[in-house]
Amino acid sequence: PRVSGSEWSTAATPNNTESDGSSTAPDAASFTSISGWTFTPKYLSVGRRVRGGVLRSPEPGRNHHDERVPRTGSGRRWSRRRIAMAHDRWKKPAHELLRVNEGFRLEAFDATRTPGWKGGSPGAVKYMKKQGVALADLQERLFADGRSGGHRSVLLVLQGMDGAGKGGIVRHVIGLVDPQAVQHHAFGPPTRVELSHNYLWRIRRALPTPGALGVFDRSQYEDVLVVRVHDLVPEAVWSKRYDEINAFEAKVAEAGTVIVKVALVITADEQKRRLSRRLRLPDKYWKYKPRDADERALWPAYRDAYQSVFDKTSTDVAPWHVIPANEKWYARLAVTELLLEAFET
Ligand code: AMP
Ligand code: MG
């Protein structure tokens, strides 16, 4: 059946024809070599891409080096397995380990620890890659759900002092997810327009739409943190905000948004190291603001303000998680895990 003088035969060769004569060749434009390799111009996405088309193995389950390749199954099964593996390395679910419970004292909190993780730093880095696939997969399903009328979304609220690593979380954890599905907002000092409204106005406008993963880099909590520490409004005003924020979050959760609140905590020494790096390194200098040094002097005032936030706004619908963040790898791993758990609910 070989076309004489040629290595290639047309699609209608025994290689592509079952004994009953029905053709399994994808189309007549394909060429099959004597060894069974099929060359299909332009289309077909499986196989090795070569100039002008795709080279496909005679047998599925073999790669183009003619080696056996394992079957991986569907993407969905892959992710489930990866999630299952995650729980082998965590002593407990991350939300249980890191959640603020009664009697929590920020003063006594050790930001150098890596509670509950058994795999060490190299294990965490390797692991993050796999968890990223799972996270992206779950986000994709949520996104699809949003497109077909679902109203669920996830909101990650990130708080932490300067240098705590909020930006790193956004790059290394949120970066694992399809950017189309992410709605990221960083809250700085309010603009004139924002000041002319209630402090929750800009927050409400930034809430994630159905199917999205919302990320707040700073949040409504600045209105009881920086605002309280710097006396930007009278105490009579900010002291009422804890209850207002709780009521606001309860409504948001009711409407279908899973709220994951994360406070990254570093030691004063580590903060000093990180902020002085910003001064020293040209590629970090842009992050430095002269005010950062003043803020450091206010560390005890911030600690008290954060303590009140944890005492008053860690609710059942929107609990706080405090993450020791001196070890960046741990903080990133922990936030990834918290998000995975949020997506699974
Ligand atoms: P960064 O996150 O480093 O870009 O800094 C943002 C700055 O905006 C921080 O110094 C915050 O304290 C400040 N900020 C955020 N929200 C508010 C607010 N509601 N009122 C005053 N300052 C704020
Ligand atoms: Mg910053």
Side-chain angles (χ1 to χ4, degrees), residues 139 154-156 174 177 181-184 208 211-215 339 343:
Q139 169 59 66
V154 173
L155 173 62
L156 175 66
I174 305 305
V177 170
V182 174
Q183 293 170 1
H184 172 264
L213 169 58
V215 182
L339 283 176
F343 275 111

Side-chain angles (χ1 to χ4, degrees), residues 303-323:
R303 198 179 50 207
D304 293 348
Y306 268 102
Q307 181 70 50
S308 298
V309 163
F310 299 143
D311 290 344
K312 297 177 186 189
T313 64
S314 201
T315 57
D316 282 339
V317 288
W320 272 105
H321 303 89
V322 184
I323 299 188

Side-chain angles (χ1 to χ4, degrees), residues 162 187-190 202 217-218 222-223 226-227 232 289 291:
D162 288 308
F187 294 100
R202 64 174 183 170
D217 177 343
R218 302 185 192 270
E222 290 296 325
D223 292 280
V226 64
V227 165
L232 300 182
K289 294 190 289 316
R291 243 190 70 196

Side-chain angles (χ1 to χ4, degrees), residues 57-338:
S57 160
E59 233 184 286
R62 281 180 177 275
N63 65 14
H64 65 272
H65 300 297
D66 215 25
E67 293 159 344
R68 232 162 235 301
V69 292
R71 290 175 186 264
T72 49
S74 73
R76 176 178 293 198
R77 242 180 299 143
W78 233 161
S79 304
R80 289 244 174 87
R81 207 169 92 210
R82 284 171 171 172
I83 294 166
M85 278 158 43
H87 294 313
D88 299 342
R89 298 277 193 104
W90 284 98
K91 286 188 191 145
K92 272 192 198 175
H95 67 93
E96 275 178 39
L97 280 160
L98 299 164
R99 184 176 171 158
V100 166
N101 44 28
E102 233 162 275
F104 174 87
R105 295 300 308 160
L106 188 53
E107 259 171 327
F109 187 78
D110 184 356
T112 64
R113 289 179 60 240
T114 58
W117 172 252
K118 296 180 242 174
S121 142
V125 172
K126 248 198 273 175
Y127 210 69
M128 281 280 293
K129 284 206 182 118
K130 294 174 183 167
Q131 291 302 73
V133 176
L135 190 64
D137 183 54
L138 286 165
Q139 169 59 66
E140 200 181 332
R141 271 188 264 165
L142 182 72
F143 191 70
D145 179 63
R147 281 291 165 93
S148 54
H151 55 269
R152 291 183 313 129
S153 60
V154 173
L155 173 62
L156 175 66
V157 174
L158 283 173
Q159 283 292 155
M161 304 271 286
D162 288 308
K166 298 186 293 293
I169 295 288
V170 174
R171 272 191 306 281
H172 295 275
V173 179
I174 305 305
L176 301 170
V177 170
D178 184 351
Q180 283 185 93
V182 174
Q183 293 170 1
H184 172 264
H185 292 270
F187 294 100
T191 61
R192 221 167 346 135
V193 173
E194 285 167 351
L195 275 176
S196 72
H197 291 87
N198 178 280
Y199 68 102
L200 289 174
W201 179 77
R202 64 174 183 170
I203 305 295
R204 201 173 279 121
R205 283 161 53 96
L207 287 172
T209 54
L213 169 58
V215 182
F216 286 177
D217 177 343
R218 302 185 192 270
S219 62
Q220 60 272 29
Y221 288 98
E222 290 296 325
D223 292 280
V224 286
L225 290 166
V226 64
V227 165
R228 165 173 164 171
V229 169
H230 287 274
D231 279 322
L232 300 182
V233 301
E235 177 168 357
V237 175
W238 62 251
S239 61
K240 287 203 201 97
R241 289 183 174 171
Y242 301 98
D243 289 343
E244 290 166 11
I245 290 173
N246 285 342
F248 170 72
E249 288 178 357
K251 268 197 203 146
V252 172
E254 176 81 29
T257 301
V258 179
I259 304 173
V260 182
K261 296 194 292 200
V262 165
L264 302 172
V265 176
I266 50 174
T267 58
D269 283 349
E270 181 64 16
Q271 191 193 34
K272 191 173 169 191
R273 245 191 314 272
R274 291 187 189 175
L275 295 184
S276 70
R277 249 170 76 82
R278 289 185 182 178
L279 276 175
R280 245 182 19 251
L281 303 178
D283 61 327
K284 302 279 181 207
Y285 190 77
W286 63 273
K287 292 192 198 175
Y288 182 79
K289 294 190 289 316
R291 243 190 70 196
D292 287 354
D294 307 340
E295 293 295 280
R296 261 180 58 71
L298 294 167
W299 185 278
Y302 269 106
R303 198 179 50 207
D304 293 348
Y306 268 102
Q307 181 70 50
S308 298
V309 163
F310 299 143
D311 290 344
K312 297 177 186 189
T313 64
S314 201
T315 57
D316 282 339
V317 288
W320 272 105
H321 303 89
V322 184
I323 299 188
N326 266 35
E327 301 287 358
K328 287 179 179 173
W329 63 263
Y330 179 82
R332 292 167 189 173
L333 180 81
V335 175
T336 307
E337 199 63 18
L338 287 173

